[in-house]
Amino acid sequence: MADRWLHRLLWLSAMLAALVLGGIVVLLIGRTAPFIAQQGMELLARQWYPGDGEFGMAAMIAGSLAVAVLALVLAAPLAVALAAWLRYFAPGWLRRPALALFALMAGIPSVVYGLWGLLVLVPWINGWVPPGASWLAGSLVLALMILPLALLVTDAALAQVPPDWLHAGAALALSRVGMLRRVVLPHTAPAIASGVVLQFGRALGETMAVLMVCGNVVQWPGSVFEPVRTLTANIALEMSYAAGDHRIALFASGLLLMLVTMALLALSWRLGRRHHGTA
Amino acid sequence: MVRRDRVATGVGAVLLLAVAMPVVSMVLAIWDQGHDELSLAFLLQDPRQAGQAGGIASLMISTGWILAVCLAVAVPVGLGCALYLSEQVPPGSRRERGLGFVLDVLAATPSIVFGLFGYQFLAITLGFGFSLLSGGIALSFMVLPLMIRSAEQALRAVPRAHRQAAAALGVTRTGWITRILVPSAAPGIAVGVILSVGRALAETAVLLFTAGYVLRRPDSVMDSGRALSVHIYDMAMNVPGGADRAAATAVVLIAALILINVMIRGLIRPSRAGGHA
Amino acid sequence: MTRLIAMAVLSLGLAGCGQGGDKLVVTGSSTLAPVITEVAERFEKDTGIEVDVQSGGSGRGINDVRQGLADIGMVSRALDASEKDLDPVVVARDGIAMIVNADNPVDAITRAEVRALYRGETDNWQALGWTERPVTVINKSSGRATLTRFVEYFGLDNRNVEADMVIGENQQGIQAVASAPAAIGYVSVGAAEYEAGAGTAIRLLELDGVAASTSTVGAGRYPLGRDLNLITTGQRSAMVQRFLDFARSDEVADLYRKHYFVPARG
């Protein structure tokens, strides 16, 4: 008797978790479907003047992509190189404190990264090329944010390399660099790429730090020193007072973020099918 | 060592420095900006004049309430779901993979989307308004996958032999779960709870339009209240001369997060002593 | 375990019952929010009725009142034809000031110069009598009352505004200008005068020969003036009416003056 109740209770909590996701998707689609159907390609073709009923998001989609891609280009190679270095080259005593530092970095709130960007990075870029609040500022802050997790994921992937291979390599008198290039990296590349794709998703979805340092002007990203507005920043900036179609347009950008996240997740799965688990 | 390897060792050290420098400079810059404001009074007083005077006491209370609501939802639901995954669903089954998919998507969902959902569903549809309740529940949705995955890991780590022994003694499923499985996995589950607290403390975007901005001490979870992270954002962006106090608040928040980090390390170490290096 | 979950669910349910009671929610204009927060504190002391004040822009005030999320909205501009469902009460008068960083020696600007700056026709401070230095033009995000009034007065189309930075709240504009030497922005006269008086590194510019100050706004001489309203919709409850009366009374006129606004009465 008690067993059956417990069973139901556990089933219920599992369903609740599923319901949260279902609820989000249903709510986002339900609220935005008629709007999207009515606007159609206008959502891409036009500009963003919500006051005049124009809800073109292309510039902000480009802004989101630009900021996230540059952040990834800056962070990913660095993260992979550092993870490999810590595992195969660095003195042993350094590994633990370094990994602890990265774990701590990963836990620092994005709003604190944003605060640092606002207080230090933006004025510094401003002294160099005004206005300072820019695509570059956003990407630098984001790069710093995604680096620790990308590094930890890479480290976990490297840990999957069978030690025998390393011994065999050593017996063959391969240099460590050579072993890394010919044995370790080819073997772990899919798992690393899978982790990096997830970090790209995180960069796209990040709100606060980007909101604080990007300047938030709706325009196509031209130069890295010009301000941009991302989709996430747009939601945070305008949600509090948006009404009617304007509000629905913000929900539509939320839906878009959600769909892109799912697509990236699917890509990450395909790449990392051999190595399971959540990042 | 081969020459190439020595070069690589040097290059890596430079890279590590290149990454460590901004992080260290970040912590130092924030300390530098904020430490003058830090005092016992800053921790014990409520803010006045939109935060330009006074301290952060009421914000810590609001943050505590939000965390309490978040955990009140995330811990039972998370634990239940983890038990369901580890006890009732065969590994590799469609249901397990389905639920795994749900958790992975939830884990990857941008926090601002939880904010939108919390605003529309909790604040408006359910009528909770801008409140600690809305904010806490929205946050619980966000930390749910983290909570579930860590609890599941802890539950699966309980040795199979225990289960066989329990079955041999004729213990019911309920007895097994409540008296043996969950207590033995408790340290691992605690890590999950603490991880969730850390994640919830660090989050801002979810709370912007669910818990609101009110600086006053909340009387109940139906009141709006401002979390520390939201205060950092508001002081930095919206209050002239607020940068010092934003930084001081950030110091308090980072200190809390470091404390959490230390606690997790303390909890993990005994169970995984001598683990792979 | 079962009991634990049941208790958690129950405690949540009980907590949910605390809603309602003696509380007013006021949201909207970031221009009005600081002063109304103080008005609310005094009201709370006098009557014991709690008032939550949250800023977020005039658009939010209108929206929240229509949705029932707020009892009273704060709107820092006149209502337009599409907003006939709302009942405004004017509590004070304010203006919009052009502001620059205190390091900037420029102290007066004309309508034509502002137009040229915001249309991107002028982009260097040299043209306005300072050194060779690109101008950082700060605009407000759409939906803000200050933006609406600004573009209306200067005959601008928000589409043609070429900004280097877009900000939300008034305070954010002041903060941005105070930390960027080459910036120009526009914010509430009251908020700017208050901050400049408190030592924030900004300067209010003379507009077409009239100083931007509470006194010129009060005398009706400052060209870019506006009304600050509290709005409600439908039948007002006794509590709401009491607050509105209080917010217009002589008892709080000093608070509006303290924030460099011109009280509607007294």
Side-chain angles (χ1 to χ4, degrees), chain B residues 52 72-73 76 79 119 123-124 127 129-130 133 178 212-214 216 219 221-224 236-241, chain C residues 1 5 8 12 15-16 18-19 23 44 50-55 60 64 67 69 169 171-172 174-175 194-195 200:
Chain B
Q52 286 175 313
V73 178
L79 191 55
Y119 172 80
I124 296 189
F130 295 108
L133 187 66
T178 56
Y213 281 79
V214 171
R216 192 158 10 94
D219 297 323
V221 289
M222 295 313 294
D223 278 349
S224 168
M237 292 293 277
N238 299 334
V239 178
Chain C
M1 179 66 209
I5 295 178
L12 269 181
Q19 200 173 12
K23 201 175 92 174
E44 221 170 291
E50 287 194 351
V51 185
D52 273 1
V53 180
Q54 309 213 17
S55 83
R60 172 175 174 191
D64 284 355
Q67 296 230 3
L69 279 175
E169 314 261 302
Q171 304 292 344
Q172 203 181 329
I174 293 171
Q175 144 88 19
Y194 182 79
E195 289 303 334
T200 307

Side-chain angles (χ1 to χ4, degrees), chain C residues 92-96 189-190 193 210-227 257 260-266:
Chain C
R93 263 189 79 72
D94 180 32
I96 296 171
V189 169
E193 215 173 349
V210 183
S213 73
T214 322
S215 61
T216 55
V217 169
R221 285 199 297 126
Y222 189 68
L224 190 43
R226 56 171 170 177
D227 288 339
R257 282 194 205 99
Y260 297 90
F261 297 131
V262 182
R265 207 194 293 181

Side-chain angles (χ1 to χ4, degrees), chain B residues 25-70:
Chain B
S25 103
M26 171 161 85
V27 174
L28 287 182
I30 284 170
W31 170 256
D32 193 50
Q33 184 102 35
H35 76 277
D36 281 345
E37 299 287 338
L38 280 175
S39 64
L40 200 61
F42 184 70
L43 297 177
L44 296 179
Q45 287 179 359
D46 284 352
R48 295 187 308 274
Q49 297 168 30
Q52 286 175 313
I56 55 171
S58 62
L59 310 170
M60 292 198 281
I61 294 171
S62 294
T63 309
W65 273 109
I66 291 172
L67 279 183
V69 172
C70 170

Side-chain angles (χ1 to χ4, degrees), chain A residues 109-134:
Chain A
S110 64
V111 68
V112 173
Y113 281 98
L115 178 64
W116 173 73
L118 198 67
L119 294 178
V120 179
L121 198 58
V122 168
W124 180 66
I125 299 178
N126 180 295
W128 190 24
V129 184
S134 55

Side-chain angles (χ1 to χ4, degrees), chain A residues 9-54:
Chain A
L9 209 61
L10 298 187
W11 179 81
L12 196 72
S13 38
M15 283 309 102
L16 264 174
L19 262 181
V20 170
L21 180 62
I24 291 176
V25 173
V26 167
L27 181 127
L28 287 179
I29 293 180
R31 283 224 58 181
T32 57
F35 171 78
I36 293 173
Q38 173 220 326
Q39 294 271 326
M41 288 315 287
E42 306 266 282
L43 288 175
L44 291 178
R46 308 194 75 163
Q47 286 179 290
W48 181 259
Y49 290 106
D52 303 338
E54 270 192 58

Side-chain angles (χ1 to χ4, degrees), chain B residues 171-184:
Chain B
V171 177
T172 62
R173 261 178 101 74
T174 311
W176 150 248
I177 288 177
T178 56
R179 295 210 212 105
I180 305 169
L181 179 60
V182 172
S184 353

